[in-house]
Amino acid sequence: MFKGLGNLGNIASMMAAFKDLPQKMQELNARMQDEHVRGDSSCGRVFVIVNCVGQVQSVNITQDGMSKAEIEQGVLEATNAAGAAAKQTYAEAIQAMVADMNLDIPGVDGLLTSLIGR
């Protein structure tokens, strides 16, 4: 009688998991504030550390012989690289959280892909 309903049998468990979602997201955000990634410039003389919610934690510049323009370019490259790494780490953490909660949400992978720009 209920064969045509597909995954509707899972709705009750999904609804229970959804009620836990705000708390899980708060925990994830707190963890991501404490997790850090590094981005390096192409010249290798600048690196930036950001946490996984995108806040810059430190900038390191070895400026020996570098012009102002080279330093600026290095900071730009390293910051963008660190930001991309932070987005990737955050997206992977959300995917893991969704999987752990057994939430089969159609389109979540596409949404995360669009958020990280890949």
Side-chain angles (χ1 to χ4, degrees):
M1 174 174 166
F2 295 106
K3 287 182 182 179
L5 297 178
N7 284 335
L8 289 179
N10 294 333
I11 288 180
S13 64
M14 285 180 64
M15 293 305 289
F18 273 124
K19 117 181 128 110
D20 295 335
L21 194 56
Q23 176 65 30
K24 295 283 187 184
M25 283 302 298
Q26 284 181 340
E27 292 168 5
L28 176 72
N29 283 329
R31 196 173 83 237
M32 292 292 101
Q33 285 179 355
D34 292 335
E35 190 164 334
H36 299 90
V37 294
R38 175 179 163 152
D40 292 277
S41 66
S42 61
C43 69
R45 295 165 70 186
V46 178
F47 70 85
V48 173
I49 304 292
V50 300
N51 66 15
C52 289
V53 294
Q55 298 167 325
V56 175
Q57 303 297 299
S58 67
V59 177
N60 184 293
I61 303 169
T62 305
Q63 68 183 43
D64 297 335
M66 289 179 71
S67 70
K68 180 179 183 287
E70 290 170 323
I71 292 170
E72 289 172 348
Q73 183 63 32
V75 170
L76 180 71
E77 290 174 2
T79 302
N80 286 337
K87 283 182 183 180
Q88 180 68 38
T89 301
Y90 195 90
E92 290 169 359
I94 289 176
Q95 285 176 319
M97 180 188 72
V98 168
D100 288 346
M101 293 177 73
N102 201 25
L103 292 175
D104 184 17
I105 304 170
V108 76
D109 288 335
L111 173 66
L112 293 174
T113 299
S114 70
L115 288 174
I116 61 172
R118 293 185 182 168

